[in-house]
């Protein structure tokens, strides 16, 4: 059977007259879109436009909730009591559902953003609380998890459909978490390097860390960040490289963790 993988991007991160990324171009390349819900980035008009473009291009729509941190783009660590964190997730998933429905689409997956995602990749109880909250609003959601981390373990215990994700434009630690953005080399900007490492990881069925360690994992989807200056070039390069190597680009179906 030919290898298949989804290609997703974080987007919908503009705000009012301030533009972040080229979502229209990315939506002609990727197969899934993680749309900001207005807390770490985005607003109601940006959500509406992004989701309408996703529907037009046949791209799967995901809710991409983050901390209430517009100033820090959701990348500052914050601490909430778990019940409050769950309401923060519910609020954003509900907004995403409404905007997707109005655009003629639907929210099919959930992916946590930024510092919230990083903290949940380290803390299984936090990850589980977030996923339970999302599923309480939308029981049929596919939960996109950072492969090999506490996120995947939390989703496995819940028994919900899961898509295991790796990152094209981020470096990895030996525990499958992402190298902190404050460290040199944490973010990969070179499209050729990003494409080559994705082909290598998908073929190997493993995350390859900065130290060269291989962490075997299921890989359902590859992510790139829409706010990266070379995002469109990275997306196009990955798509070409995967297809050239015989890997089919296709939306993930979701399955047991």
């Amino acid at each position: 059977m030919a290898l298949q993988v989804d290609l997703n991007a974080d987007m919908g991160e503009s705000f009012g007259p301030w533009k972040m990324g080229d979502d229209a171009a990315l939506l002609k390349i990727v197969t899934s879109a993680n749309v900001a819900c207005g807390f770490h980035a985005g607003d109601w008009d940006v959500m509406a436009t992004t989701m309408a473009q996703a529907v037009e291009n046949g791209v799967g729509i995901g809710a991409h909730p983050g901390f209430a941190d517009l100033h820090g783009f959701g990348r500052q660590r914050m601490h909430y009591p778990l019940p409050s964190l769950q309401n923060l997730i519910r609020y954003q998933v509900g907004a995403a559902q409404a905007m997707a429905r109005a655009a003629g689409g639907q929210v099919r997956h959930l992916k946590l953003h930024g510092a919230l995602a990083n903290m949940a990749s380290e803390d299984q109880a936090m990850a589980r609380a977030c996923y339970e909250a999302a599923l309480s609003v939308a029981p049929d959601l596919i939960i996109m998890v950072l492969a090999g981390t506490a996120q995947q373990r939390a989703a496995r215990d819940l028994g919900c459909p899961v898509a295991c994700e790796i990152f094209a434009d981020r470096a990895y630690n030996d525990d499958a978490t992402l190298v902190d953005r404050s460290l040199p080399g944490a973010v990969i900007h070179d499209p050729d390097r990003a494409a080559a490492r994705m082909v290598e990881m998908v073929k190997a069925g493993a995350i390859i860390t900065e130290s060269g360690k291989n962490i075997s994992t299921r890989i359902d989807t590859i992510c790139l960040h829409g706010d990266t200056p070379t995002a469109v070039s990275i997306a196009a390069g990955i798509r070409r490289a995967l297809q050239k190597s015989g890997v089919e680009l296709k939306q993930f179906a979701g399955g047991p963790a």
Side-chain angles (χ1 to χ4, degrees):
M1 180 182 293
L3 287 173
Q4 294 180 342
V5 73
D6 174 82
L7 182 59
N8 78 78
D10 300 344
M11 60 179 68
E13 295 170 333
S14 299
F15 187 83
W18 181 76
K19 185 177 180 183
M20 171 66 83
D22 189 347
D23 294 347
L26 279 175
L27 284 164
K28 296 184 184 303
I29 301 169
V30 300
T31 48
S32 293
N34 317 305
V35 182
C37 301
F39 274 40
H40 75 273
D43 61 35
W44 47 93
D45 291 325
V46 172
M47 289 176 74
T49 298
T50 306
M51 290 185 177
Q53 290 174 338
V55 170
E56 182 182 345
N57 285 280
V59 172
I61 296 173
H64 195 35
F67 286 139
D69 178 28
L70 283 174
H71 183 269
F73 202 64
R75 289 175 178 158
Q76 300 182 98
R77 291 194 171 218
M78 296 182 169
H79 299 276
Y80 292 79
L82 288 184
S84 181
L85 178 63
Q86 289 185 306
N87 286 332
L88 180 114
I89 297 295
R90 292 185 182 104
Y91 191 102
Q92 294 179 74
V93 171
Q97 285 183 305
M99 300 308 288
R101 190 170 299 142
Q106 64 177 351
V107 174
R108 67 188 303 267
H109 73 273
L110 172 104
K111 177 187 170 181
L112 303 178
H113 168 81
L116 173 58
N118 290 336
M119 292 170 72
S121 74
E122 302 159 2
D123 184 336
Q124 187 170 332
M126 181 180 181
R128 180 174 180 133
C130 291
Y131 299 153
E132 286 179 333
L135 293 166
S136 74
V137 175
D140 296 329
L141 281 178
I142 300 168
I143 303 298
M144 190 183 291
V145 300
L146 187 55
T149 70
Q151 289 187 18
Q152 185 171 351
R153 295 189 290 276
R156 178 197 61 207
D157 289 349
L158 284 172
C160 57
V162 166
C164 295
E165 176 187 54
I166 62 171
F167 282 82
D169 54 9
R170 294 296 308 278
Y172 279 94
N173 297 308
D174 282 352
D175 62 356
T177 60
L178 301 176
V179 174
D180 191 279
R181 282 178 173 268
S182 65
L183 299 175
V187 181
I188 295 162
H189 297 284
D190 181 356
D192 292 336
R193 183 183 171 211
R197 70 197 292 269
M198 287 302 95
V199 170
E200 185 178 12
M201 289 190 199
V202 170
K203 291 282 193 178
I207 292 166
I208 301 174
T209 72
E210 287 300 278
S211 71
K213 179 181 178 180
N214 280 37
I215 303 171
S216 294
T217 184
R218 187 175 104 205
I219 299 172
D220 298 313
T221 185
I222 295 167
C223 176
L224 58 104
H225 291 85
D227 65 299
T228 304
T230 52
V232 175
S233 297
I234 288 174
I238 290 170
R239 187 179 183 100
R240 284 193 303 269
L242 288 170
Q243 290 175 331
K244 186 176 180 181
S245 68
V247 179
E248 181 184 1
L249 272 292
K250 187 176 182 179
Q251 281 181 26
F252 53 78

